[in-house]
Amino acid sequence: MKNLIIFIAFVALSQQAKAQQITVDTSFMQAYCPNNYDRIDDFFDKGKTPARTTADKNILVFALPDLQAKQVDKLEHFTDVTYLKEGTNPKTKDNWVKISYKMRDTPGVYKNKVGYILEQNISHGTVVSRSETENLSFVLTESPLLDADLKMPRFRLNAVNRFTDLNYEKVKSVNTYDLNMSAINFYNHFYLTSINNNAFNNMPNLLRLYWHHGESCPESEGNVFVAHASGKMSEIISASSTGEGGFYETTKVYLPLKFAKGKVVLVENGDSENMLDSYTGTLKTIPYPKDCGIPIEQLVVVIEEDAEGKTDVDGNFIEDKNKEIIMEITHKVIRYYKWNGSKFLQVKKVVVKQRKEN
């Protein structure tokens, strides 16, 4: 009788183990290509690097990209992970991400592991802080707040303060900020980066969120700049551009960057990695406007410009010798802002050409 009971228990355990060992075709999972503008299955990627964290809650890790698969781990919020693959399960329609991560096996000993989590549980990007007094990082996630028009999640920035380098995975505090820009799914491509060499005083962290929308013509792109100063986050300014053959509308932002030997230059979007325009061979910088009355280390220049292609009497665009449409500026305004140590103030506005109102 005792042997029979043992046999029945063994069969039950075997059946339970087999039930957990489901078969899942993982061919729908594709390698993640960070900062790649090429299309994968007709979608642009999201993010500049594969270094991410989990989102703002504890999440389950599965052995396979299926909710019925075996649960292999539980990760705490804002755990560091690496984005490996992504895909949508064709049967369940759930969006999955394959990640690698480290788990502490014994005190001081970590084990490298791989598993699957739902896409909603991974951050969209992580930026390490410049702060020398705090173990601070900025994590971009979905917000629980919905865009009023699109009814989709907005962006949320999380300033994650950890305890020490020796206990880095433990979160001390989190300060959150919901961006005002439209919903995440509106953009085919976006990433979060930091402007490390900005010249502003009392500005340890200046972040730039780049977005690109190319589902229809005209395509558009832009940047939202977020300051983290005195423990608070705020959107300070934004830039955008859109256009196609025959017209364009742009708002360009020039920020002071400090280079070797203390040289300060006003650079478009504060993007030192892409200062050279590969098409025109010119630098994306502007000379310091000394007559603005603002020290260059405190200056932000915003240039709004709209243009339309010139046409002949028949309405056809007029081209130059290089077969480029000759553009005529219809609106141009230059604004000068001053950083006072806590916020930006508009000091001067120069109207070069005002838009004609109907």
Side-chain angles (χ1 to χ4, degrees):
M1 184 68 179
K2 181 178 180 180
N3 291 337
L4 179 61
I5 293 174
I6 293 174
F7 176 76
I8 293 173
F10 175 79
V11 171
L13 289 172
S14 299
Q15 290 177 342
Q16 182 179 0
K18 288 181 180 180
Q20 288 186 337
Q21 294 174 0
I22 66 169
T23 301
V24 178
D25 179 9
T26 61
S27 61
F28 63 87
M29 300 295 295
Q30 299 188 31
Y32 174 70
C33 302
N35 200 16
N36 181 4
Y37 285 85
D38 294 331
R39 286 178 180 269
I40 299 177
D41 283 354
D42 207 36
F43 289 95
F44 284 99
D45 71 304
K46 304 176 180 69
K48 194 172 184 180
T49 74
R52 305 295 181 85
T53 77
T54 54
D56 57 351
K57 57 186 176 182
N58 297 344
I59 58 103
L60 295 174
V61 182
F62 295 83
L64 293 168
D66 192 291
L67 290 173
Q68 301 305 312
K70 181 180 179 181
Q71 298 172 10
V72 295
D73 276 315
K74 186 175 183 179
L75 300 181
E76 293 187 8
H77 61 316
F78 303 118
T79 297
D80 289 335
V81 299
T82 300
Y83 202 129
L84 300 177
K85 291 186 177 183
E86 60 185 348
T88 302
N89 189 315
K91 293 182 179 180
T92 65
K93 305 305 178 183
D94 293 320
N95 296 320
W96 289 91
V97 174
K98 185 177 182 179
I99 60 170
S100 64
Y101 56 98
K102 292 183 179 180
M103 287 289 287
R104 184 148 50 183
D105 199 13
T106 56
V109 179
Y110 289 84
K111 179 188 253 184
N112 293 321
K113 304 187 75 173
V114 174
Y116 295 85
I117 64 175
L118 290 171
E119 184 186 45
Q120 68 197 48
N121 293 326
I122 196 168
S123 72
H124 297 295
T126 302
V127 170
V128 178
S129 167
R130 292 180 62 200
S131 174
E132 298 178 355
T133 59
E134 294 179 299
N135 291 291
L136 196 65
S137 61
F138 295 91
V139 180
L140 184 68
T141 61
E142 287 187 358
S143 169
L145 302 180
L146 299 181
D147 179 85
D149 297 321
L150 301 176
K151 306 301 180 185
M152 293 179 181
R154 288 159 52 183
F155 284 103
R156 167 169 284 186
L157 261 180
N158 305 269
V160 182
N161 189 6
R162 304 178 189 270
F163 280 95
T164 66
D165 290 335
L166 296 177
N167 195 20
Y168 185 77
E169 68 268 23
K170 295 297 182 180
V171 174
K172 183 178 181 180
S173 62
V174 180
N175 181 27
T176 62
Y177 177 78
D178 294 300
L179 277 71
N180 294 314
M181 61 185 300
S182 298
I184 290 177
N185 290 341
F186 179 77
Y187 305 110
N188 302 95
H189 177 90
F190 54 85
Y191 62 78
L192 178 72
T193 188
S194 59
I195 303 174
N196 292 322
N197 51 336
N198 77 80
F200 299 119
N201 292 325
N202 301 319
M203 178 76 83
N205 292 290
L206 181 58
L207 311 176
R208 177 169 64 91
L209 176 58
Y210 167 82
W211 58 267
H212 172 267
H213 175 58
E215 288 184 342
S216 60
C217 290
E219 294 190 16
S220 56
E221 65 176 0
N223 295 274
V224 176
F225 299 90
V226 181
H228 182 267
S230 303
K232 296 182 179 180
M233 285 184 285
S234 60
E235 292 173 61
I236 55 173
I237 212 148
S238 62
S240 63
S241 66
T242 185
E244 56 184 340
F247 91 96
Y248 68 76
E249 298 176 353
T250 67
T251 299
K252 294 183 178 181
V253 173
Y254 294 86
L255 301 169
L257 301 188
K258 184 175 290 186
F259 295 94
K261 299 181 181 179
K263 184 177 182 181
V264 180
V265 180
L266 293 169
V267 180
E268 184 179 334
N269 297 325
D271 188 357
S272 58
E273 294 180 0
N274 299 287
M275 287 174 59
L276 178 66
D277 188 322
S278 59
Y279 182 72
T280 63
T282 58
L283 289 175
K284 298 179 182 179
T285 61
I286 58 172
Y288 170 50
K290 297 180 181 180
D291 60 345
C292 71
I294 305 171
I296 191 171
E297 294 86 359
Q298 298 174 278
L299 175 65
V300 174
V301 181
V302 178
I303 302 178
E304 304 170 8
E305 184 175 293
D306 301 348
E308 297 177 357
K310 287 187 175 182
T311 57
D312 58 23
V313 292
D314 296 319
N316 301 312
F317 288 120
I318 302 173
E319 298 178 341
D320 60 19
K321 61 181 180 180
N322 297 316
K323 301 298 181 180
E324 298 281 352
I325 297 175
I326 298 175
M327 304 298 290
E328 182 178 31
I329 294 175
T330 58
H331 172 83
K332 186 170 184 177
V333 174
I334 304 173
R335 303 176 190 273
Y336 299 100
Y337 293 85
K338 181 178 180 180
W339 170 249
N340 68 359
S342 60
K343 60 182 178 180
F344 287 94
L345 304 172
Q346 182 173 314
V347 174
K348 188 177 181 180
K349 174 183 175 181
V350 178
V351 177
V352 179
K353 189 165 187 177
Q354 190 66 50
R355 180 186 294 110
K356 292 181 179 179
E357 301 294 341
N358 294 328

